[in-house]
């Protein structure tokens, strides 16, 4: 296999700055897959080498912008509209940004006043999971596929193989992390909407740790469960493990690892910028971009609630850290709001709906709400009955 040094040299041609002559539009020119797995022109597949029809097609996209809202909008547009018969790798990075999970409360997760004073963006993604700080020292990866071809362990393995090219031995840990010697170097989240699947994550290369610790409000329950005193104590930059690693060299290594897995020589990535994305999406990406920038989406509405319950459920529980706010009157739950870093945001939405279904604020009412949750969220996660029983037991104890 090529060494990390060869990968770093190769990236100069793969990720050369865009110009009118060098830009390869995903829809206006062919994206070469030299093994013949799939060739694409004008967005259509037009040929496959004989005897390889059962192998999936692959595609590699690299963003040429650091605008977090455009990058996240591109990802969401690809998820909603992309060809799911083609396994796609999308690589990107953002200028300083805090990205929160779909079900999280920004006022609790983030030092909003300092964030705004420092000119750091706040973005909310459409997937679940926790809060992350990103800057140009962080590389984001996204795997997009059909549910049939979705495999998060395989995707994590592709990232781990890329790190091996730099002499870094990593492993998966917990719900969604990649670690090196007990320190987190990558976190991930998922979004599943059959028949589509998305797995995305971060790679900490040389992130500004001072900004990370100053801007994020770590959840005390999560830190206690992991036996650490601060959020920075459990993360590490890859550059401290290999000073030669960079965004360009790691991007090249991930592309090579991705292509190796699917039996293809390394592809030339399709480079994306704002003008090309506008043309490719026929204006659809601007709609998603507007959704991403909308303050109602980013900040949400956090009403005052009369009861606050909080706990943490360890893996394999789907609940993660859960923060329940209940507004009750005359012994009845009028409204419930649930915040969580759960990787299953639809399940959190279903929980809030169940608790707000007009039940009494007592153990019997909790049982009724859990019955509603089971009916509404069946097949959402494995062993849901047991997980709902655990949650109901905690809620009744916490009343």
């Amino acid at each position: 296999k090529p060494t990390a040094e060869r990968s770093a040299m190769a990236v100069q041609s793969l990720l050369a700055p865009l110009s009118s002559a060098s830009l390869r539009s995903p829809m206006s020119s062919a994206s070469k897959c030299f093994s013949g797995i799939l060739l694409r022109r004008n967005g259509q597949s037009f040929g496959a080498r004989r005897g390889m029809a059962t192998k999936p097609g692959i595609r590699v996209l690299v963003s040429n912008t650091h605008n977090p809202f455009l990058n996240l909008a591109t990802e969401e547009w690809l998820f909603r509209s992309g060809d799911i018969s083609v396994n796609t790798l999308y690589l990107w990075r953002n200028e300083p940004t805090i990205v929160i999970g779909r079900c999280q409360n920004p006022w609790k997760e983030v030092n909003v006043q300092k964030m705004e004073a420092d000119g750091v963006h706040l973005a909310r993604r459409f997937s679940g999971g926790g809060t992350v700080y990103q800057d140009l020292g962080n590389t984001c990866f996204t795997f997009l596929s059909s549910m049939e071809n979705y495999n998060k362990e395989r995707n994590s393995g592709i990232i781990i193989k890329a790190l091996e090219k730099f002499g870094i031995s990593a492993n998966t840990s917990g719900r969604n992390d990649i670690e090196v010697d007990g320190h987190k170097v990558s976190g991930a989240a998922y979004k599943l909407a059959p028949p589509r699947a998305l797995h995305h994550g971060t790679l900490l290369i040389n992130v500004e740790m001072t900004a990370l610790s100053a801007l994020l409000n770590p959840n005390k329950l999560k830190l206690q469960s992991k036996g650490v005193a601060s959020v920075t104590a459990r993360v590490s930059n890859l550059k401290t493990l290999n000073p030669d690693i960079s965004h360009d060299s790691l991007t090249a290594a991930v592309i090579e690892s991705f292509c190796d897995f699917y039996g293809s020589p390394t592809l030339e990535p399709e480079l994306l910028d704002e003008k090309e994305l506008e043309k490719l999406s026929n204006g659809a990406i601007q709609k998603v971009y507007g959704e991403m920038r909308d303050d109602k989406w980013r900040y949400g509405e956090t009403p005052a609630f009369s009861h606050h319950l909080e706990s943490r459920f360890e893996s394999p529980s789907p609940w993660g850290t859960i923060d329940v706010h209940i507004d009750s009157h005359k012994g009845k739950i009028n409204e419930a709001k649930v915040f969580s870093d759960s990787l299953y945001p639809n399940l959190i939405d279903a929980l809030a709906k169940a608790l707000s279904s007009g039940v009494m604020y007592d153990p019997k009412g909790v049982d009724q709400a859990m019955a509603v949750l089971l009916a509404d969220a069946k097949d959402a996660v494995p062993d849901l009955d047991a997980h709902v029983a655990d949650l109901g037991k905690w809620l009744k104890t916490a009343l």
Side-chain angles (χ1 to χ4, degrees), residues 89-109:
L89 171 66
Y90 171 49
L91 296 164
W92 43 294
R93 59 177 175 162
N94 293 327
E95 59 195 26
T97 306
I98 294 172
V99 185
I100 60 176
R102 189 179 106 186
C103 296
Q104 290 194 293
N105 180 353
W107 305 103
K108 184 168 185 179
E109 302 293 335

Side-chain angles (χ1 to χ4, degrees), residues 319-331:
W319 306 114
T321 300
I322 193 162
D323 186 14
V324 181
H325 297 252
I326 292 175
D327 181 20
S328 64
H329 182 63
K330 293 184 178 181

Side-chain angles (χ1 to χ4, degrees), residues 339-396:
F339 301 103
S340 174
D341 62 357
S342 170
L343 298 177
Y344 301 91
N346 290 340
L347 190 60
I348 300 303
D349 291 344
L351 172 59
K353 180 181 177 183
L355 289 171
S356 304
S357 61
V359 300
M360 298 301 291
Y361 190 31
D362 59 19
K364 184 178 179 180
V366 170
D367 287 338
Q368 291 173 340
M370 294 303 99
V372 172
L373 175 60
L374 280 172
D376 288 349
K378 62 180 180 179
D379 302 324
V381 296
D383 302 319
L384 181 61
D385 287 9
H387 295 315
V388 168
D390 288 343
L391 180 71
K393 181 180 178 181
W394 166 67
L395 284 171
K396 287 187 284 187

Side-chain angles (χ1 to χ4, degrees), residues 256-330:
E256 185 177 11
S257 179
F258 177 73
C259 292
D260 283 350
F261 179 85
Y262 289 104
S264 166
T266 302
L267 299 182
E268 181 178 353
E270 303 169 22
L271 301 176
L272 305 177
D273 69 359
E274 186 171 357
K275 290 182 179 178
E276 284 300 314
L277 286 167
E278 179 69 11
K279 287 192 295 185
L280 296 177
S281 68
N282 293 320
I285 202 163
Q286 285 299 326
K287 180 178 182 298
V288 187
Y289 182 74
E291 294 173 15
M292 286 287 179
R293 290 189 61 88
D294 188 349
D295 282 352
K296 288 184 179 179
W297 168 252
R298 294 190 302 137
Y299 287 93
E301 297 179 3
T302 309
F305 287 87
S306 52
H307 299 268
H308 175 210
L309 312 173
E310 185 176 17
S311 188
R312 177 165 178 79
F313 295 78
E314 293 298 331
S315 181
S317 171
W319 306 114
T321 300
I322 193 162
D323 186 14
V324 181
H325 297 252
I326 292 175
D327 181 20
S328 64
H329 182 63
K330 293 184 178 181

